[in-house]
Amino acid sequence: LRHRDGSKRACEVHATNLRDDPAWEGIVLNIWDLSERKALEERLRHQAFHDALTDLPNRALILDRAEIMLARARRGSGTVAALFVDLDGFKHVNDTLGHAAGDRLLETVAGRLQSVVRAQDTVGRLGGDEFVLLLDPDPSNIPPDLIAQRVLDVLHQPVDLPESGRTVSVSASIGLAIGRQGSVDELLRDADFALYEAKRQGRASYVLFEASMQIEAQDRLALEEELQRAVGLEQFFLLYQPTFDLYTNRVTGVEALIRWQHPARGVLAPDAFIPIAEQTRLIVPIGRWVLQEACRQAAAWDEAGHPVGMSVNISAHQLAQDGLQEDVERVLAQSGLDPATLTLEITETALMLDIDAATVRLKALKALGVRIAIDDFGTGHSSLAYLRKFPVDTLKIDRSFISGIASSDAAAAIISTLVALGKTLNIETLAEGIEQPAQLEKLQQEHCGQGQGFLFARPLDVPGIEDFLEAVDTRSAPTAAIR
Ligand code: C2E
Ligand code: MG
Ligand code: MG
């Protein structure tokens, strides 16, 4: 029906025949205006298929559109391209500038993505900072790799975030897959594999899906499941590598290094599983076990008359997680180990991920009486200003500097600078990965205090360390092998 104001209204009409009723003698029409209800229904239907923040199609509608495009591709000659776009560093913007700024950034990105494609293509949001572009099979469409490049370009333009008074620049990683015969699920899964690869290769790039990525992903998945089981079955053990005073040759401590006794693949080194443990957060229970076992062993050596400092590697996720301080406290209490015997090694990169949070965490750990070492120093991007703020006892200079020290003046100059820095800040320096006598000699010339490396000892099992401690004990003074 047309309303007096000219608008059309959706109505429901009920007609009742009362012609035989002497009081009425006619037909009664009851009319309800349903416009508001219809509008609400329409709104709800829209909401069910669109993302509330950006108003882009959500996962359900993306799947539906992809289905339709694939059907069209099969009827014609084209293919459908799916691009998974994931913003690099979105979490950082959200965490540091606030959610209002994060929302504004996502809205801007949504608009820019839409500007890159044509009307028949679909831009959707999967949630978080993940977007999808579906490119229509129309053969006149622009090639998908060009679109991927354009996406990188438009996202690279600075974004104003008035909420925070800041301008930020974001980059994205893009996984690209092309489909025709397969299912929607396969197409999107392939794009996801490619995205994973793009992120792994470093950010701000796009990667086209290849079948080998699926195999790698399956391997990774299998390893993940096995790792999950390994935690329950306690398939891990520790080796210990001694560290030395470079002038007295005394053992200054040992570093606990994890190994996985894999039921089929044999003994695996940390590089083969620690990255996966970090991604899946299994590093938290694994790290807890390492801490417990290392402290138990250190206490046992102490009791047997070979007191020796114990270093344990702590990963970025362990540091970021709330329970670390309690874990350390509990393990120290259980083992009865003197806290000063324990050193926690944290890589420079882990510390730099969130400097303010790391400072707070380190201070809390330090308050327990343990020592702190920065591992792989020189490979991250520390600023000296921060180094002063961290309560650090030891800098472990990364192996990459030591390997060049005997042959390269530049490497030697870096060591000499780091040693001087340590002296100024009252931090001990320890050189990692000493393999050759010439390297040792050079480090002694530079007055680096401690060292670790195959030249002295490889990582050893418990009896190996015990032999070592006894041999060192007899070789040097009885007070040897103290931290
Ligand atoms: P890292 O903490 O820097 O440990 C030193 C690594 O260098 C060890 O490798 C050690 O075997 C190796 N290394 C020592 N001396 C030499 C040398 O002279 N030459 C060469 N080429 N290598 C030497 P590993 O045991 O394979 O451990 C690798 C990394 O895995 C460690 O580096 C550490 O970051 C991580 N990791 C080991 N155990 C744990 C653990 O329990 N928890 C965590 N979160 N990470 C661990
Ligand atoms: Mg270490
Ligand atoms: Mg290291």
Side-chain angles (χ1 to χ4, degrees):
L1 296 179
R2 192 181 300 280
H3 191 276
R4 186 166 47 185
D5 67 11
S7 65
K8 280 191 178 164
R9 295 296 175 121
C11 299
E12 186 173 308
V13 182
H14 284 226
T16 316
N17 183 355
L18 297 176
R19 279 182 302 175
D20 294 339
D21 184 333
W24 292 88
E25 290 184 346
I27 294 172
V28 176
L29 299 181
N30 286 296
I31 303 177
W32 284 276
D33 184 346
L34 298 183
S35 306
E36 277 181 20
R37 199 174 91 196
K38 286 267 181 208
L40 182 66
E41 277 172 14
E42 186 47 47
R43 226 174 30 246
L44 288 176
R45 188 164 337 147
H46 185 85
Q47 279 171 12
F49 291 103
H50 291 81
D51 165 51
L53 177 66
T54 60
D55 206 37
L56 291 177
N58 64 10
R59 184 182 291 275
L61 187 53
I62 292 165
L63 291 174
D64 192 54
R65 296 259 175 96
E67 197 78 68
I68 293 168
M69 283 189 193
L70 275 174
R72 275 236 312 286
R74 278 181 214 126
R75 277 200 304 276
S77 60
T79 51
V80 180
L83 285 79
F84 271 29
V85 180
D86 186 291
L87 301 184
D88 304 327
F90 172 70
K91 190 175 172 303
H92 186 70
V93 171
N94 226 7
D95 289 350
T96 55
L97 303 182
H99 288 275
D103 284 355
R104 172 64 66 105
L105 176 60
L106 292 174
E107 285 167 340
T108 308
V109 166
R112 290 190 186 173
L113 291 177
Q114 279 172 307
S115 75
V116 168
V117 298
R118 302 197 303 185
Q120 63 266 43
D121 303 322
T122 294
V123 176
R125 179 172 174 225
L126 286 174
D129 58 349
E130 274 201 0
F131 295 86
V132 171
L133 275 63
L134 293 172
L135 306 184
D136 186 83
D138 180 352
S140 71
N141 229 339
I142 301 159
D145 48 343
L146 268 185
I147 298 276
Q149 189 54 53
R150 278 194 197 169
V151 168
L152 292 177
D153 293 343
V154 293
L155 292 187
H156 206 67
Q157 305 296 319
V159 181
D160 277 328
L161 301 174
E163 290 80 1
S164 65
R166 295 275 288 275
T167 299
V168 299
S169 179
V170 289
S171 61
S173 302
I174 303 176
L176 170 57
I178 290 170
R180 178 181 159 81
Q181 291 307 334
S183 67
V184 167
D185 284 349
E186 281 164 359
L187 177 67
L188 298 185
R189 194 198 54 199
D190 290 354
D192 204 16
F193 284 145
L195 174 62
Y196 183 91
E197 190 58 29
K199 282 200 230 165
R200 207 181 59 84
Q201 286 182 9
R203 283 122 198 277
S205 65
Y206 70 87
V207 165
L208 180 64
F209 171 77
E210 287 168 28
S212 64
M213 290 172 194
Q214 190 181 342
I215 296 167
E216 275 167 35
Q218 280 162 351
D219 279 356
R220 204 167 50 234
L221 210 64
L223 202 63
E224 248 175 65
E225 286 168 9
E226 289 162 359
L227 195 57
Q228 181 101 47
R229 274 200 299 277
V231 175
L233 297 174
E234 300 209 346
Q235 290 172 347
F236 304 105
F237 63 95
L238 295 180
L239 294 181
Y240 301 90
Q241 188 181 30
T243 54
F244 292 85
D245 182 312
L246 294 185
Y247 306 91
T248 64
N249 238 358
R250 287 181 188 174
V251 174
T252 53
V254 297
E255 176 177 8
L257 295 163
I258 193 169
R259 298 292 181 267
W260 177 9
Q261 182 69 58
H262 189 281
R265 302 183 203 207
V267 175
L268 296 183
D271 299 349
F273 63 93
I274 291 287
I276 297 176
E278 296 217 2
Q279 278 163 25
T280 54
R281 310 259 158 163
L282 284 170
I283 192 65
V284 174
I286 294 174
R288 200 177 287 138
W289 177 84
V290 172
L291 200 57
Q292 211 166 309
E293 176 59 17
C295 288
R296 189 199 60 73
Q297 184 60 63
W301 278 329
D302 200 359
E303 209 148 280
H306 299 299
V308 64
M310 177 63 74
S311 288
V312 173
N313 292 287
I314 301 292
S315 84
H317 273 122
Q318 282 173 278
L319 187 67
Q321 160 244 358
D322 279 327
L324 180 62
Q325 191 195 337
E326 286 79 33
D327 282 349
V328 173
E329 216 169 345
R330 185 173 38 79
V331 165
L332 284 172
Q334 274 170 3
S335 62
L337 193 68
D338 173 6
T341 311
L342 180 64
T343 300
L344 302 178
E345 291 192 8
I346 300 159
T347 62
E348 188 184 20
T349 321
L351 290 175
M352 291 302 137
L353 284 179
D354 186 345
I355 293 164
D356 294 332
T359 313
V360 174
R361 288 272 147 99
L362 289 191
K363 287 197 173 136
L365 289 169
K366 192 68 195 154
L368 300 176
V370 302
R371 297 168 61 86
I372 307 284
I374 302 190
D375 207 349
D376 304 345
F377 189 76
T379 54
H381 304 278
S382 338
S383 117
L384 297 184
Y386 291 120
L387 196 57
R388 219 168 25 117
K389 283 210 296 193
F390 290 141
V392 172
D393 301 286
T394 309
L395 287 186
K396 296 191 78 174
I397 304 172
D398 191 66
R399 186 162 79 220
S400 55
F401 297 106
I402 312 305
S403 59
I405 188 177
S407 53
S408 138
D409 287 345
I414 289 173
I415 302 287
S416 124
T417 307
L418 292 181
V419 170
L421 178 72
K423 286 232 165 66
T424 312
L425 297 177
N426 203 14
I427 301 173
E428 288 175 36
T429 41
L430 188 155
E432 297 187 305
I434 307 174
E435 295 181 348
Q436 294 158 11
Q439 292 165 345
L440 173 60
E441 214 167 282
K442 202 80 183 182
L443 285 163
Q444 285 170 334
Q445 280 167 23
E446 303 296 350
H447 306 289
C448 179
Q450 299 180 55
Q452 177 179 14
F454 296 168
L455 179 66
F456 300 101
R458 291 188 171 258
L460 300 165
D461 59 10
V462 171
I465 287 286
E466 284 170 358
D467 287 348
F468 211 87
L469 289 177
E470 275 160 29
V472 172
D473 280 353
T474 47
R475 202 169 59 218
S476 50
T479 49
I482 311 287
R483 198 188 75 244

